[in-house]
Amino acid sequence: MSSPPAPETVVDLLGVLAYGELLAFDQMATDARLAPDIQRRAILSEMAGAEIANYRRLVDRIAALGHDPERAMTPFVAALGAYHEQTPPHDWLEALAKAYIGEGIADDFYREVAALLASPDRELVLEVLHDTRYADFAAEELRTAIAADPKIANRLALWARRLVGEALSQAQRVAAEHESLADLVITGSSDLAGIAALFKRLTTAHTARMASVGLNN
Amino acid sequence: MSSPPAPETVVDLLGVLAYGELLAFDQMATDARLAPDIQRRAILSEMAGAEIANYRRLVDRIAALGHDPERAMTPFVAALGAYHEQTPPHDWLEALAKAYIGEGIADDFYREVAALLASPDRELVLEVLHDTRYADFAAEELRTAIAADPKIANRLALWARRLVGEALSQAQRVAAEHESLADLVITGSSDLAGIAALFKRLTTAHTARMASVGLNN
């Protein structure tokens, strides 16, 4: 492994992660209203609660590194905001699919990036990845709905493609605007073949997640 | 003190508390968008996160008592929903005032009710009362805003009166529809003079809270 990234790069990374948690909180808290009953509504609300707890851990670390959290997050407001604005879920299943698919990809990506960090940032990033019991809940709901009405699968597969497309487009924007973050991934991957392999791993995991709930990628 | 309330009454009480937490989560999560910057937005989001964590503790206790949480909450959906629907905050200060004043009264009330319960419900109800550091944050924001522009005090005092009026009206509805809960308070207060004294204590505390941020009751 190459030497650990510069402190500024780590702060950039923590900043994008933290703001991502804040917006994920907001999106899930809003989407919880789409739930068909109180208990399901509460589960999505609790997923949101987990995000905001992670937000706190990340901004505390940014502050401990001597940086201003607000300043660290501001550069990512536009891109992350655009992702959510472009992909508002219209019903409960779209909300769950967004949480399941979006966070699945984000977690896979941040798990890869964590490997490039030194302690304690490596551990922090790994710890703020999502609790699998929430992904399990979302997957089970999606599976049940698709089994009951297979036509839903087509609609949700289309929705998933929109989510991935929008996420990639905003990720490109972040990479273009933050060379240090792009460099972190590029250096971590050693070379172009390494980046290709990273994308291959992310795609394979995404396809497996889709298949596990009955969706074609 | 009289004998502890019947298990069904405790379940009613935990049900109204739990659904209140879920709606408070929802309201604060939504209101967080009104914040003037990311860090303030995050603090209200964290307040929401604390509500949903408390929700989980309450429904777990309902389930442990052998009752269905969804069924325990359903009777309170209309009244609690109406309170929030009738009092949507229009800006950051109204949102903070709602959290500060509404939760202050609710906490005072539930603290009184907790004294009427047996363990472990007594401790549970006391533990899900709001963390004072959030009330301190809201109070400080309100104080600063009023100091900078004293005209704000009139508007917020009116707003507070609307909140209290709506809360009282919905509380009456809950009491009318749930005799067991009304009985709990009445029995706990021994007699009419006791109830008057309870209302006096709640009013005094509310007036003190208002005064401490520069608002006339």
Side-chain angles (χ1 to χ4, degrees):
Chain A
M1 200 186 99
S2 47
S3 58
E8 291 69 28
T9 305
V10 174
V11 169
D12 272 351
L13 181 68
L14 298 175
V16 67
L17 261 167
Y19 195 67
E21 300 277 5
L22 186 65
L23 286 196
F25 163 84
D26 178 83
Q27 178 77 56
M28 287 182 189
T30 305
D31 292 351
R33 294 181 181 176
L34 299 169
D37 56 47
I38 300 177
Q39 299 204 61
R40 284 183 169 83
R41 174 175 176 168
I43 292 174
L44 201 59
S45 303
E46 288 182 273
M47 290 169 71
E51 307 277 349
I52 201 68
N54 285 336
Y55 165 89
R56 173 53 49 199
R57 298 189 60 188
L58 291 161
V59 295
D60 283 351
R61 176 64 183 155
I62 293 170
L65 288 169
H67 289 254
D68 175 44
E70 182 108 16
R71 184 176 273 190
M73 288 183 280
T74 301
F76 306 103
V77 166
L80 294 183
Y83 168 69
H84 286 291
E85 276 156 34
Q86 295 299 322
T87 57
H90 297 99
D91 60 28
W92 175 238
L93 292 177
E94 286 192 4
L96 286 179
K98 182 169 176 177
Y100 174 68
I101 289 162
E103 282 160 24
I105 296 174
D107 282 359
D108 285 343
F109 178 70
Y110 287 123
R111 199 175 288 114
E112 299 265 358
V113 173
L116 310 175
L117 303 179
S119 291
D121 297 304
R122 174 189 297 203
E123 289 74 17
L124 175 60
V125 171
L126 290 175
E127 283 164 21
V128 300
L129 300 181
H130 296 86
D131 193 324
T132 53
R133 76 196 152 105
Y134 293 126
D136 293 345
F137 164 75
E140 193 50 41
E141 289 274 299
L142 293 169
R143 237 174 255 133
T144 307
I146 291 167
D149 179 3
K151 284 197 302 294
I152 290 174
N154 285 331
R155 178 167 70 85
L156 290 180
L158 264 175
W159 170 242
R161 280 196 280 280
R162 261 197 62 200
L163 293 172
V164 172
E166 193 61 39
L168 274 177
S169 134
Q170 297 306 333
Q172 271 177 331
R173 179 170 167 185
V174 168
E177 288 169 3
H178 304 273
E179 257 183 62
S180 66
L181 289 181
D183 283 351
L184 172 63
V185 175
I186 293 167
T187 313
S189 310
S190 310
D191 53 21
L192 266 182
I195 297 177
L198 166 65
F199 272 90
K200 183 80 193 305
R201 288 194 297 278
L202 294 177
T203 307
T204 304
H206 169 63
T207 305
R209 249 187 317 270
M210 294 278 282
S212 110
V213 297
L215 296 174
N216 292 319
N217 193 14
Chain B
M1 199 187 99
S2 48
S3 57
E8 290 70 28
T9 304
V10 175
V11 170
D12 271 351
L13 180 68
L14 298 175
V16 67
L17 262 167
Y19 195 66
E21 300 278 5
L22 186 64
L23 286 197
F25 163 84
D26 179 82
Q27 179 77 55
M28 288 180 188
T30 305
D31 292 350
R33 294 182 182 173
L34 299 169
D37 56 46
I38 300 177
Q39 298 204 63
R40 285 182 169 84
R41 174 176 177 168
I43 292 174
L44 201 59
S45 303
E46 288 182 275
M47 291 170 72
E51 306 277 349
I52 201 68
N54 285 337
Y55 165 90
R56 171 54 49 196
R57 297 188 60 187
L58 292 161
V59 295
D60 283 352
R61 176 64 183 155
I62 293 170
L65 289 168
H67 289 254
D68 175 43
E70 181 107 16
R71 186 176 270 186
M73 289 184 279
T74 301
F76 307 104
V77 167
L80 295 183
Y83 169 69
H84 286 292
E85 274 156 34
Q86 295 298 322
T87 56
H90 296 100
D91 60 28
W92 176 238
L93 292 177
E94 287 192 3
L96 285 179
K98 180 169 177 177
Y100 175 68
I101 289 162
E103 281 159 25
I105 297 176
D107 283 358
D108 285 343
F109 178 71
Y110 287 123
R111 200 176 287 113
E112 298 266 357
V113 173
L116 310 175
L117 303 179
S119 291
D121 297 304
R122 174 189 297 201
E123 290 75 17
L124 175 59
V125 170
L126 290 174
E127 283 165 21
V128 301
L129 300 181
H130 295 87
D131 193 325
T132 53
R133 77 195 151 105
Y134 293 126
D136 294 344
F137 164 75
E140 194 49 42
E141 289 275 300
L142 292 168
R143 236 173 256 131
T144 307
I146 291 166
D149 180 4
K151 282 196 306 295
I152 289 176
N154 286 331
R155 179 166 70 85
L156 289 180
L158 264 176
W159 170 240
R161 281 197 279 282
R162 262 198 60 200
L163 292 173
V164 172
E166 193 61 40
L168 274 178
S169 135
Q170 297 306 333
Q172 271 177 331
R173 179 170 168 186
V174 167
E177 289 170 0
H178 303 272
E179 260 183 60
S180 66
L181 289 181
D183 283 351
L184 173 63
V185 175
I186 293 167
T187 314
S189 309
S190 310
D191 54 21
L192 267 181
I195 296 177
L198 165 64
F199 272 89
K200 183 84 194 305
R201 288 195 296 279
L202 294 177
T203 307
T204 305
H206 168 65
T207 305
R209 251 189 314 271
M210 294 278 283
S212 110
V213 297
L215 297 174
N216 293 319
N217 193 15

